Amino acid sequence: MAARAKINALRARLSARTGKPAIAVAAHNPLSAKLVAQTYGFDAIWASGFELSASYAVPDASVLSPNIHLEMTRAMAEVQDLPIIADLDTGFGNAINVAYTVPRYEAADVAAIVLEDKTFPKDSSLRPGGRQLLVSTEEFQGKIAAAKASCSMLVIARTEALIAGLGQEEAIRRGITYVEAGADAILIHSKQKTPDEILSFCQAWPGTVPLVIVPTSYPQLSFDEIAKLTDNKVGLVICGNHAIRAAVSAMQRTLAQIVEENGIAGVEGEIAPVSDIFELQGDAAMRELERKFLR
Ligand code: SPV
Ligand code: MG
């Protein structure tokens, strides 16, 4: 699908209020993005800062180089067709950095970006005791406006007011001012272990643009329940880190079994056959090239 068509389709999907929110799943490299795309039922890829950082074994704290972030995101877009929602964290600096960064993501075939209202360098929202400092509303409005002025992608503004412990009133106030600055959707994040805080926010949200949630800490609700309990105000649910966590568990299990059994025979039936990996590498396309061009 052409870039503009992906952006328009994602915009329409987020605002549809059909009782079925769009679902994005995190990926950290082209292989995981392809696996998400091959699993029928997902609407978008979440190019997660947490997963990308974890895949380099570094903290999700503005440590990973922005160039690696961009190149990995571009590589995800090259191997599959779902729209990509890129997690730009704080925008890697101020509104000037945002204005220079955002067009590069659009050129990498990204359909939407998320900018969060934390200070740069950021810290992970999920980290116990993490540094959760927010920029002023005015400064963040400038970042949103800079993003909107530099691209046609969806600009999703994320407020960390609940994560920073500032309460629902401040979270709603920030959300409204971000919409005034041009945000196409508001991502509201919570690390409470129950959905109460997020549901209360969603119910109080005046509903001018769709909401986006990342229910990692409160996984109890099904996607249908999220739609019902928020009166369809949630247009997008992000499964924030499930690909990397699944990969880590699978690798740990296999590696431990190899040591325990002192050989590789036992894991053979548990792991993907080499033929699956060839397929993910696009072997069929290379065979076609061989047939046509190799003399
Ligand atoms: C990410 O996946 O990078 C996110 C979601 O931003 S969270 O890690 O929950 O902050
Ligand atoms: Mg992130």
Side-chain angles (χ1 to χ4, degrees):
M1 213 192 286
R4 184 54 70 99
K6 278 191 210 173
I7 296 170
N8 291 341
L10 189 62
R11 187 187 301 281
R13 185 70 184 82
L14 255 65
S15 314
R17 303 192 71 157
T18 55
K20 300 256 171 242
I23 309 298
V25 178
H28 49 276
N29 60 18
L31 182 76
S32 54
K34 205 163 177 178
L35 288 168
V36 174
Q38 285 182 350
T39 310
Y40 180 74
F42 297 129
D43 300 280
I45 307 282
W46 169 235
S48 155
F50 178 87
E51 288 216 1
L52 282 168
S53 302
S55 74
Y56 278 82
V58 298
D60 181 16
S62 306
V63 171
L64 195 70
S65 135
N67 274 351
I68 291 179
H69 192 291
L70 174 61
E71 284 316 313
M72 198 62 96
T73 305
R74 187 197 314 281
M76 290 188 211
E78 279 174 1
V79 298
Q80 56 75 45
D81 263 337
L82 282 182
I84 300 224
I85 303 170
D87 177 8
L88 261 54
D89 294 343
T90 63
F92 311 117
N94 64 17
I96 307 298
N97 299 83
V98 169
Y100 278 96
T101 298
V102 162
R104 296 185 180 134
Y105 280 81
E106 185 155 33
D109 195 17
V110 165
I113 56 158
V114 174
L115 287 170
E116 66 194 44
D117 58 1
K118 284 216 278 262
T119 52
F120 175 87
K122 60 157 280 177
D123 197 359
S124 166
S125 309
L126 302 178
R127 182 168 170 247
R131 292 163 277 116
Q132 308 301 341
L133 300 173
L134 272 50
V135 297
S136 71
T137 308
E138 293 71 25
E139 181 177 343
F140 198 62
Q141 282 188 310
K143 286 184 164 188
I144 297 166
K148 287 296 290 183
S150 356
C151 75
S152 0
M153 299 179 290
L154 266 78
V155 174
I156 301 175
R158 161 173 171 173
T159 182
E160 295 283 282
L162 298 179
I163 295 282
L166 301 179
Q168 176 171 308
E169 204 177 309
E170 176 65 3
I172 297 269
R173 186 187 75 79
R174 282 184 174 256
I176 290 171
T177 58
Y178 299 164
V179 174
E180 285 163 6
D184 296 294
I186 297 294
L187 191 160
I188 178 69
H189 204 11
S190 164
K191 61 177 169 190
Q192 298 291 314
K193 298 277 178 251
T194 69
D196 304 356
E197 179 179 63
I198 217 80
L199 289 177
S200 169
F201 175 95
C202 294
Q203 280 146 14
W205 175 245
T208 44
V209 299
L211 295 174
V212 179
I213 64 170
V214 190
T216 307
S217 300
Y218 51 95
Q220 301 89 331
L221 299 178
S222 71
F223 302 144
D224 287 348
E225 283 169 333
I226 290 170
K228 199 163 159 222
L229 294 171
T230 64
D231 191 23
N232 287 324
K233 289 181 193 172
V234 171
L236 171 68
V237 178
I238 294 176
C239 305
N241 49 34
H242 298 77
I244 198 102
R245 286 164 61 198
V248 167
S249 319
M251 285 191 265
Q252 284 172 331
R253 220 173 17 247
T254 300
L255 298 173
Q257 193 178 341
I258 291 172
V259 169
E260 201 177 305
E261 296 175 356
N262 200 27
I264 56 173
V267 300
E268 196 53 31
E270 309 292 322
I271 57 180
V274 175
S275 57
D276 279 9
I277 310 301
F278 276 132
E279 203 243 296
L280 284 161
Q281 288 175 306
D283 189 58
M286 191 173 78
R287 282 186 194 279
E288 186 61 12
L289 291 173
E290 285 170 340
R291 195 186 59 74
K292 278 190 184 152
F293 304 120
L294 276 191
R295 318 255 139 94

mmCIF file of all heavy atoms in Angstrom, residues 26 46-53 60 87 89 114 116 118 122-126 158 160 163 187 189-190 214 216-217 238-241, ligand 1:
data_model
loop_
_atom_site.group_PDB
_atom_site.id
_atom_site.type_symbol
_atom_site.label_atom_id
_atom_site.label_comp_id
_atom_site.label_asym_id
_atom_site.label_seq_id
_atom_site.Cartn_x
_atom_site.Cartn_y
_atom_site.Cartn_z
ATOM 1 N N ALA A 26 3.949 -4.527 19.252
ATOM 2 C CA ALA A 26 5.330 -4.082 19.231
ATOM 3 C C ALA A 26 6.215 -5.024 18.426
ATOM 4 O O ALA A 26 6.030 -6.237 18.439
ATOM 5 C CB ALA A 26 5.869 -4.004 20.658
ATOM 6 N N TRP A 46 3.886 -1.542 16.152
ATOM 7 C CA TRP A 46 4.374 -0.515 17.087
ATOM 8 C C TRP A 46 5.896 -0.634 17.117
ATOM 9 O O TRP A 46 6.435 -1.627 17.628
ATOM 10 C CB TRP A 46 3.762 -0.787 18.460
ATOM 11 C CG TRP A 46 4.294 -0.035 19.652
ATOM 12 C CD1 TRP A 46 4.776 -0.602 20.794
ATOM 13 C CD2 TRP A 46 4.328 1.375 19.891
ATOM 14 N NE1 TRP A 46 5.126 0.369 21.706
ATOM 15 C CE2 TRP A 46 4.866 1.602 21.175
ATOM 16 C CE3 TRP A 46 3.970 2.493 19.118
ATOM 17 C CZ2 TRP A 46 5.044 2.876 21.718
ATOM 18 C CZ3 TRP A 46 4.154 3.765 19.656
ATOM 19 C CH2 TRP A 46 4.679 3.932 20.931
ATOM 20 N N ALA A 47 6.582 0.344 16.539
ATOM 21 C CA ALA A 47 8.052 0.341 16.573
ATOM 22 C C ALA A 47 8.450 0.878 17.940
ATOM 23 O O ALA A 47 8.717 2.071 18.123
ATOM 24 C CB ALA A 47 8.614 1.186 15.432
ATOM 25 N N SER A 48 8.463 -0.017 18.882
ATOM 26 C CA SER A 48 8.553 0.318 20.314
ATOM 27 C C SER A 48 9.969 0.699 20.740
ATOM 28 O O SER A 48 10.919 -0.058 20.510
ATOM 29 C CB SER A 48 8.105 -0.931 21.093
ATOM 30 O OG SER A 48 8.657 -0.954 22.392
ATOM 31 N N GLY A 49 10.091 1.844 21.397
ATOM 32 C CA GLY A 49 11.391 2.240 21.930
ATOM 33 C C GLY A 49 11.884 1.254 22.975
ATOM 34 O O GLY A 49 13.090 0.973 23.058
ATOM 35 N N PHE A 50 10.964 0.727 23.741
ATOM 36 C CA PHE A 50 11.334 -0.248 24.774
ATOM 37 C C PHE A 50 11.909 -1.507 24.125
ATOM 38 O O PHE A 50 12.973 -2.003 24.522
ATOM 39 C CB PHE A 50 10.092 -0.588 25.608
ATOM 40 C CG PHE A 50 10.319 -1.609 26.685
ATOM 41 C CD1 PHE A 50 10.760 -1.231 27.934
ATOM 42 C CD2 PHE A 50 10.087 -2.959 26.447
ATOM 43 C CE1 PHE A 50 10.982 -2.170 28.937
ATOM 44 C CE2 PHE A 50 10.298 -3.899 27.433
ATOM 45 C CZ PHE A 50 10.750 -3.506 28.677
ATOM 46 N N GLU A 51 11.212 -2.022 23.092
ATOM 47 C CA GLU A 51 11.695 -3.248 22.442
ATOM 48 C C GLU A 51 13.004 -3.007 21.692
ATOM 49 O O GLU A 51 13.914 -3.835 21.741
ATOM 50 C CB GLU A 51 10.633 -3.805 21.478
ATOM 51 C CG GLU A 51 9.455 -4.423 22.193
ATOM 52 C CD GLU A 51 8.879 -5.651 21.485
ATOM 53 O OE1 GLU A 51 9.397 -6.065 20.433
ATOM 54 O OE2 GLU A 51 7.892 -6.193 22.011
ATOM 55 N N LEU A 52 13.073 -1.875 20.985
ATOM 56 C CA LEU A 52 14.313 -1.589 20.247
ATOM 57 C C LEU A 52 15.492 -1.484 21.208
ATOM 58 O O LEU A 52 16.562 -2.054 20.960
ATOM 59 C CB LEU A 52 14.161 -0.278 19.466
ATOM 60 C CG LEU A 52 13.370 -0.377 18.175
ATOM 61 C CD1 LEU A 52 13.030 1.013 17.640
ATOM 62 C CD2 LEU A 52 14.166 -1.136 17.134
ATOM 63 N N SER A 53 15.281 -0.780 22.329
ATOM 64 C CA SER A 53 16.362 -0.655 23.314
ATOM 65 C C SER A 53 16.714 -2.027 23.870
ATOM 66 O O SER A 53 17.897 -2.386 23.970
ATOM 67 C CB SER A 53 15.931 0.264 24.466
ATOM 68 O OG SER A 53 15.571 1.526 23.975
ATOM 69 N N ASP A 60 15.770 1.679 28.141
ATOM 70 C CA ASP A 60 14.885 2.528 27.334
ATOM 71 C C ASP A 60 14.912 3.931 27.944
ATOM 72 O O ASP A 60 13.953 4.360 28.600
ATOM 73 C CB ASP A 60 13.467 1.932 27.355
ATOM 74 C CG ASP A 60 12.474 2.732 26.519
ATOM 75 O OD1 ASP A 60 12.923 3.545 25.689
ATOM 76 O OD2 ASP A 60 11.262 2.534 26.706
ATOM 77 N N ASP A 87 7.536 4.995 17.768
ATOM 78 C CA ASP A 87 7.635 5.538 19.123
ATOM 79 C C ASP A 87 8.833 6.482 19.158
ATOM 80 O O ASP A 87 9.972 6.038 19.312
ATOM 81 C CB ASP A 87 7.838 4.349 20.082
ATOM 82 C CG ASP A 87 8.032 4.773 21.513
ATOM 83 O OD1 ASP A 87 7.858 5.961 21.815
ATOM 84 O OD2 ASP A 87 8.360 3.892 22.334
ATOM 85 N N ASP A 89 9.583 8.635 21.384
ATOM 86 C CA ASP A 89 9.920 9.087 22.742
ATOM 87 C C ASP A 89 9.648 10.601 22.865
ATOM 88 O O ASP A 89 8.569 11.048 22.554
ATOM 89 C CB ASP A 89 11.386 8.779 23.085
ATOM 90 C CG ASP A 89 11.667 7.274 23.165
ATOM 91 O OD1 ASP A 89 10.703 6.499 23.272
ATOM 92 O OD2 ASP A 89 12.838 6.890 23.136
ATOM 93 N N VAL A 114 4.459 8.754 17.670
ATOM 94 C CA VAL A 114 4.025 9.103 19.029
ATOM 95 C C VAL A 114 5.131 9.923 19.673
ATOM 96 O O VAL A 114 6.299 9.537 19.664
ATOM 97 C CB VAL A 114 3.748 7.830 19.863
ATOM 98 C CG1 VAL A 114 3.450 8.209 21.311
ATOM 99 C CG2 VAL A 114 2.579 7.038 19.279
ATOM 100 N N GLU A 116 6.063 11.880 23.370
ATOM 101 C CA GLU A 116 5.617 11.914 24.770
ATOM 102 C C GLU A 116 6.124 13.175 25.469
ATOM 103 O O GLU A 116 7.174 13.719 25.104
ATOM 104 C CB GLU A 116 6.058 10.645 25.505
ATOM 105 C CG GLU A 116 7.547 10.494 25.682
ATOM 106 C CD GLU A 116 7.951 9.068 26.105
ATOM 107 O OE1 GLU A 116 7.423 8.095 25.536
ATOM 108 O OE2 GLU A 116 8.808 8.954 27.002
ATOM 109 N N LYS A 118 7.545 13.827 28.225
ATOM 110 C CA LYS A 118 8.607 13.762 29.242
ATOM 111 C C LYS A 118 9.795 14.644 28.822
ATOM 112 O O LYS A 118 9.926 15.008 27.663
ATOM 113 C CB LYS A 118 9.078 12.313 29.385
ATOM 114 C CG LYS A 118 8.062 11.485 30.173
ATOM 115 C CD LYS A 118 8.725 10.452 31.050
ATOM 116 C CE LYS A 118 9.104 9.218 30.317
ATOM 117 N NZ LYS A 118 8.113 8.141 30.494
ATOM 118 N N LYS A 122 14.727 10.701 28.422
ATOM 119 C CA LYS A 122 13.576 10.091 29.089
ATOM 120 C C LYS A 122 14.001 8.883 29.931
ATOM 121 O O LYS A 122 15.151 8.426 29.845
ATOM 122 C CB LYS A 122 12.553 9.641 28.057
ATOM 123 C CG LYS A 122 13.095 8.618 27.074
ATOM 124 C CD LYS A 122 12.012 7.801 26.454
ATOM 125 C CE LYS A 122 11.555 6.708 27.381
ATOM 126 N NZ LYS A 122 10.458 5.913 26.862
ATOM 127 N N ASP A 123 13.048 8.391 30.678
ATOM 128 C CA ASP A 123 13.237 7.107 31.361
ATOM 129 C C ASP A 123 11.999 6.273 31.054
ATOM 130 O O ASP A 123 10.937 6.814 30.723
ATOM 131 C CB ASP A 123 13.393 7.330 32.879
ATOM 132 C CG ASP A 123 13.987 6.111 33.589
ATOM 133 O OD1 ASP A 123 14.261 5.094 32.911
ATOM 134 O OD2 ASP A 123 14.161 6.167 34.817
ATOM 135 N N SER A 124 12.129 4.953 31.169
ATOM 136 C CA SER A 124 10.998 4.078 30.857
ATOM 137 C C SER A 124 9.851 4.323 31.836
ATOM 138 O O SER A 124 10.056 4.421 33.046
ATOM 139 C CB SER A 124 11.447 2.621 30.954
ATOM 140 O OG SER A 124 10.308 1.789 30.965
ATOM 141 N N SER A 125 8.644 4.390 31.279
ATOM 142 C CA SER A 125 7.448 4.606 32.116
ATOM 143 C C SER A 125 7.225 3.447 33.067
ATOM 144 O O SER A 125 6.614 3.608 34.123
ATOM 145 C CB SER A 125 6.213 4.748 31.228
ATOM 146 O OG SER A 125 6.436 5.683 30.229
ATOM 147 N N LEU A 126 7.682 2.264 32.674
ATOM 148 C CA LEU A 126 7.365 1.059 33.450
ATOM 149 C C LEU A 126 8.395 0.776 34.532
ATOM 150 O O LEU A 126 8.218 -0.105 35.361
ATOM 151 C CB LEU A 126 7.292 -0.161 32.508
ATOM 152 C CG LEU A 126 6.279 -0.061 31.376
ATOM 153 C CD1 LEU A 126 6.339 -1.310 30.498
ATOM 154 C CD2 LEU A 126 4.871 0.127 31.919
ATOM 155 N N ARG A 158 1.377 11.878 23.524
ATOM 156 C CA ARG A 158 1.276 10.986 24.689
ATOM 157 C C ARG A 158 1.530 11.778 25.964
ATOM 158 O O ARG A 158 2.571 12.431 26.084
ATOM 159 C CB ARG A 158 2.312 9.881 24.518
ATOM 160 C CG ARG A 158 2.684 9.135 25.775
ATOM 161 C CD ARG A 158 3.575 7.977 25.387
ATOM 162 N NE ARG A 158 4.174 7.303 26.508
ATOM 163 C CZ ARG A 158 4.889 6.183 26.416
ATOM 164 N NH1 ARG A 158 5.094 5.636 25.229
ATOM 165 N NH2 ARG A 158 5.414 5.616 27.472
ATOM 166 N N GLU A 160 2.222 11.684 29.958
ATOM 167 C CA GLU A 160 2.716 10.824 31.025
ATOM 168 C C GLU A 160 2.267 11.356 32.390
ATOM 169 O O GLU A 160 2.858 11.025 33.418
ATOM 170 C CB GLU A 160 4.244 10.765 30.950
ATOM 171 C CG GLU A 160 4.757 10.095 29.691
ATOM 172 C CD GLU A 160 4.637 8.580 29.737
ATOM 173 O OE1 GLU A 160 5.471 7.941 30.392
ATOM 174 O OE2 GLU A 160 3.678 8.056 29.116
ATOM 175 N N ILE A 163 1.520 8.624 34.798
ATOM 176 C CA ILE A 163 2.774 7.931 35.136
ATOM 177 C C ILE A 163 3.577 8.770 36.141
ATOM 178 O O ILE A 163 4.197 8.236 37.061
ATOM 179 C CB ILE A 163 3.612 7.699 33.851
ATOM 180 C CG1 ILE A 163 2.889 6.750 32.888
ATOM 181 C CG2 ILE A 163 5.023 7.222 34.182
ATOM 182 C CD1 ILE A 163 2.943 5.294 33.192
ATOM 183 N N LEU A 187 -2.390 9.550 23.487
ATOM 184 C CA LEU A 187 -2.020 8.309 24.174
ATOM 185 C C LEU A 187 -1.955 8.618 25.672
ATOM 186 O O LEU A 187 -1.215 9.496 26.098
ATOM 187 C CB LEU A 187 -0.677 7.790 23.664
ATOM 188 C CG LEU A 187 -0.275 6.364 24.093
ATOM 189 C CD1 LEU A 187 0.796 5.809 23.155
ATOM 190 C CD2 LEU A 187 0.205 6.250 25.520
ATOM 191 N N HIS A 189 -1.108 6.951 29.274
ATOM 192 C CA HIS A 189 -0.401 5.786 29.799
ATOM 193 C C HIS A 189 -0.568 5.706 31.310
ATOM 194 O O HIS A 189 -0.640 6.735 31.992
ATOM 195 C CB HIS A 189 1.084 5.884 29.438
ATOM 196 C CG HIS A 189 1.786 4.562 29.397
ATOM 197 N ND1 HIS A 189 1.126 3.355 29.450
ATOM 198 C CD2 HIS A 189 3.113 4.244 29.295
ATOM 199 C CE1 HIS A 189 2.004 2.369 29.392
ATOM 200 N NE2 HIS A 189 3.221 2.876 29.298
ATOM 201 N N SER A 190 -0.652 4.470 31.800
ATOM 202 C CA SER A 190 -0.775 4.232 33.244
ATOM 203 C C SER A 190 0.040 3.000 33.584
ATOM 204 O O SER A 190 0.157 2.085 32.775
ATOM 205 C CB SER A 190 -2.250 3.985 33.585
ATOM 206 O OG SER A 190 -2.379 3.402 34.874
ATOM 207 N N VAL A 214 -1.896 1.613 26.303
ATOM 208 C CA VAL A 214 -0.870 0.557 26.283
ATOM 209 C C VAL A 214 -1.063 -0.251 27.577
ATOM 210 O O VAL A 214 -0.457 0.066 28.602
ATOM 211 C CB VAL A 214 0.553 1.160 26.257
ATOM 212 C CG1 VAL A 214 1.605 0.074 25.979
ATOM 213 C CG2 VAL A 214 0.676 2.292 25.255
ATOM 214 N N THR A 216 -0.051 -2.716 29.222
ATOM 215 C CA THR A 216 0.943 -3.683 29.717
ATOM 216 C C THR A 216 0.760 -3.994 31.205
ATOM 217 O O THR A 216 0.793 -5.160 31.603
ATOM 218 C CB THR A 216 2.370 -3.115 29.520
ATOM 219 O OG1 THR A 216 2.528 -2.730 28.161
ATOM 220 C CG2 THR A 216 3.432 -4.138 29.892
ATOM 221 N N SER A 217 0.551 -2.954 32.008
ATOM 222 C CA SER A 217 0.496 -3.155 33.465
ATOM 223 C C SER A 217 -0.857 -3.655 33.937
ATOM 224 O O SER A 217 -0.970 -4.158 35.041
ATOM 225 C CB SER A 217 0.774 -1.836 34.195
ATOM 226 O OG SER A 217 2.029 -1.379 33.858
ATOM 227 N N ILE A 238 -2.252 -0.655 22.102
ATOM 228 C CA ILE A 238 -0.890 -1.072 21.742
ATOM 229 C C ILE A 238 -0.442 -2.191 22.671
ATOM 230 O O ILE A 238 -0.470 -2.032 23.898
ATOM 231 C CB ILE A 238 0.085 0.124 21.848
ATOM 232 C CG1 ILE A 238 -0.267 1.187 20.806
ATOM 233 C CG2 ILE A 238 1.528 -0.345 21.671
ATOM 234 C CD1 ILE A 238 0.586 2.460 20.882
ATOM 235 N N CYS A 239 -0.068 -3.318 22.096
ATOM 236 C CA CYS A 239 0.539 -4.415 22.877
ATOM 237 C C CYS A 239 2.036 -4.069 22.896
ATOM 238 O O CYS A 239 2.749 -4.300 21.918
ATOM 239 C CB CYS A 239 0.299 -5.752 22.209
ATOM 240 S SG CYS A 239 -1.448 -6.059 21.895
ATOM 241 N N GLY A 240 2.484 -3.486 24.007
ATOM 242 C CA GLY A 240 3.718 -2.713 24.030
ATOM 243 C C GLY A 240 5.025 -3.481 23.983
ATOM 244 O O GLY A 240 6.038 -2.930 23.539
ATOM 245 N N ASN A 241 5.067 -4.698 24.473
ATOM 246 C CA ASN A 241 6.385 -5.351 24.560
ATOM 247 C C ASN A 241 6.290 -6.870 24.493
ATOM 248 O O ASN A 241 7.175 -7.573 24.983
ATOM 249 C CB ASN A 241 7.104 -4.922 25.845
ATOM 250 C CG ASN A 241 6.199 -5.045 27.058
ATOM 251 O OD1 ASN A 241 5.369 -5.951 27.117
ATOM 252 N ND2 ASN A 241 6.353 -4.161 28.021
HETATM 253 C C1 SPV B 1 7.308 1.349 24.350
HETATM 254 O O1 SPV B 1 6.900 0.227 24.029
HETATM 255 O O2 SPV B 1 8.436 1.747 24.075
HETATM 256 C C2 SPV B 1 6.436 2.261 25.079
HETATM 257 C C3 SPV B 1 5.384 1.713 25.930
HETATM 258 O O3 SPV B 1 6.649 3.452 25.012
HETATM 259 S S1 SPV B 1 6.027 1.634 27.535
HETATM 260 O O4 SPV B 1 7.252 0.843 27.518
HETATM 261 O O5 SPV B 1 4.991 1.004 28.365
HETATM 262 O O6 SPV B 1 6.295 2.983 28.010
#
